């Protein structure tokens, strides 16, 4: 990983040999051809967005991309986590095939994590792989989902269960785009920012604590630092373990519980970041039960999650056997091995490991964290 900076733009490099690329972070990048220079000139392009983001930004991006591409088409998917599905993915293939897209056609994912994950998966599959660029428009997508090449759709039985590792040519994070983001979505993004503290960098956790109000107020300097530092940490992890054979799983802190909430409540009922917020409290509680961190650590993390505007209590997803339903859903988690659930736990401030835990202990944690 290496980092360069200029007054208006910073770059964080994802170092993956021939699949290396830059994350550009700055203001006004949507209109800046230099931010998109990794994309092949001359080829055709398809901007994939959704019905909320496309009216705001797709034409601006298209105007700029027409300087680079022979033809720029646009399409808007239905908005929402519940549409991160086979049916919606097929709409992208329908558009590509009906417009005669070829192997050099470049896809641009203009949207949050849902659009990014689906467009990336479509790019991985169409003609066995076409180039794509991530243009994340949510905080969550800028600090996490657009970076590192995980692409997927959901299945009713489990979150992100069908997908591929497929790296983009570039990630372009225009901080200006966050100005139109609803407050609840900004908080959801803060969950993934906070995540990087306990797993990797307690100094960053301290910085977030002292800038949480500025972040919630969309202060440009605070957002720029949060996006850059999050991307640096993710770049470091992905650079060591691109396909999650080990270390990369720590980026899923809070996600095992969180994915169970999302699937259990029905996709879209809780935002992904909200489920991760409550999931981090549960994972921190589990870490404490395992004797790895003390109660003060859990209180500190819970207080920050609360200040970020996120839920700190888990959802009740089954009135009869809530913990049992969590366990059932968590056994479908991608980290599970031979039916044994493996959790990302904190084994000291700024350090995470992945390990199993006894069902009885997990049940206790769920019961306590989901109680009113
Ligand atoms: P999202 O994509 O649903 O976007 C949130 C909402 O904000 C949507 O309604 C969207 O239309 C709207 N929106 C987006 N940008 C906007 C803007 N600039 N102004 C106004 N509205 C805007 O949700 P998300 O939180 O960005 O992403 C969540 C998804 O990301 C989940 O599916 C999760 O599984 C996935 N994810 C993937 C990874 C990964 O590594 N691939 C990592 C974390 C999360
Ligand atoms: N968001 C987790 C990962 O990219 O590995």
């Amino acid at each position: 990983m290496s980092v360069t900076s200029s007054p208006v733009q910073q770059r964080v490099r994802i170092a993956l040999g021939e699949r290396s690329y830059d994350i550009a972070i700055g203001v006004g990048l949507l209109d800046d051809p230099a931010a998109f220079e990794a994309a092949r000139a001359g080829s055709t392009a398809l901007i994939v967005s959704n019905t909320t983001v496309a009216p705001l930004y797709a034409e601006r991006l298209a105007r700029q991309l027409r300087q680079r591409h022979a033809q720029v088409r646009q399409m808007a998917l239905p908005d929402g986590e519940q549409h991160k599905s086979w049916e919606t993915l097929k709409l992208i293939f329908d558009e590509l095939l009906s417009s005669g897209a070829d192997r050099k056609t470049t896809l641009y994912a203009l949207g949050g994590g849902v659009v990014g994950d689906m467009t990336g998966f479509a790019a991985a599959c169409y003609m066995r792989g076409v180039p794509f660029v991530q243009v994340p428009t949510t905080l969550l997508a800028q600090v996490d989902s657009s970076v590192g090449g995980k692409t997927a759709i959901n299945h009713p039985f489990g979150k992100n269960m069908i997908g591929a590792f497929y790296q983009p040519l570039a990630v372009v994070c225009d901080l200006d785009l966050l100005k139109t983001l609803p407050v609840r979505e900004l908080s959801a993004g803060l969950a993934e920012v906070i995540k990087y503290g306990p797993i990797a960098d307690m100094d960053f956790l301290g910085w977030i604590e002292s800038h949480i109000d500025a972040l919630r107020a969309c202060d440009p300097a605070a957002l720029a630092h949060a996006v850059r530092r999050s991307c640096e940490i993710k770049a470091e992890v992905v650079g060591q373990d691109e396909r999650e054979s080990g270390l990369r799983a720590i980026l899923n802190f809070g996600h095992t519980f969180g994915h169970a909430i999302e699937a259990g409540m029905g996709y879209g009922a809780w935002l992904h970041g909200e489920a991760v917020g409550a999931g981090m409290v549960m994972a921190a509680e589990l870490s404490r039960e395992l004797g790895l961190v003390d109660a003060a650590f859990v209180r500190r993390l819970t207080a920050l999650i609360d200040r970020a505007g996120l839920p700190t209590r888990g959802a009740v997803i089954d009135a009869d056997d809530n913990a049992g339903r969590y366990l059932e859903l968590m056994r479908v988690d991608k980290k599970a091995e031979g039916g044994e659930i493996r959790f990302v736990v904190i084994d000291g401030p700024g350090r995470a490991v992945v390990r199993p835990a006894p069902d009885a202990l997990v049940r206790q944690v769920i019961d306590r964290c989901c109680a009113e």
Side-chain angles (χ1 to χ4, degrees), residues 39-40 43-47 69 104-108 131-133 169:
R40 176 192 288 265
S43 58
T44 60
L46 173 65
I47 298 173
H69 293 286
K104 291 178 180 161
T105 298
T106 305
L107 303 195
Y108 288 83
F132 89 110
V133 174
L169 291 176

Side-chain angles (χ1 to χ4, degrees), residues 14 143-145 147-150 165 191-200 229-244 246-256 259 272 276 280 335 343-346 351-354:
I14 305 287
V143 300
D144 192 354
S145 65
V147 173
K150 276 190 181 175
F165 286 99
E192 302 281 17
V193 176
I194 291 169
K195 162 186 89 177
Y196 292 111
I199 64 165
R229 186 65 197 129
S230 299
C231 289
E232 284 172 359
I233 294 170
K234 185 151 187 186
E236 193 75 55
V237 172
V238 170
Q240 290 180 54
D241 180 21
E242 180 186 7
R243 297 177 74 91
E244 198 167 307
L247 176 72
R248 184 168 176 168
I250 67 169
L251 297 174
N252 270 318
F253 176 56
H255 287 58
T256 311
H259 285 170
H272 175 70
V276 169
M280 285 193 288
K335 291 182 296 303
F343 296 91
V344 182
V345 288
I346 304 301
R351 227 178 37 232
V353 291
V354 182

Side-chain angles (χ1 to χ4, degrees), residues 155-169:
H155 188 281
F157 292 168
K159 171 101 176 132
N160 293 335
M161 291 307 287
I162 298 152
F165 286 99
Y166 193 66
Q167 300 295 342
L169 291 176

Side-chain angles (χ1 to χ4, degrees), residues 179-192:
K179 286 180 184 159
T180 53
L181 199 59
V183 175
R184 190 177 162 201
E185 299 291 349
L186 190 80
S187 285
L190 288 172
E192 302 281 17

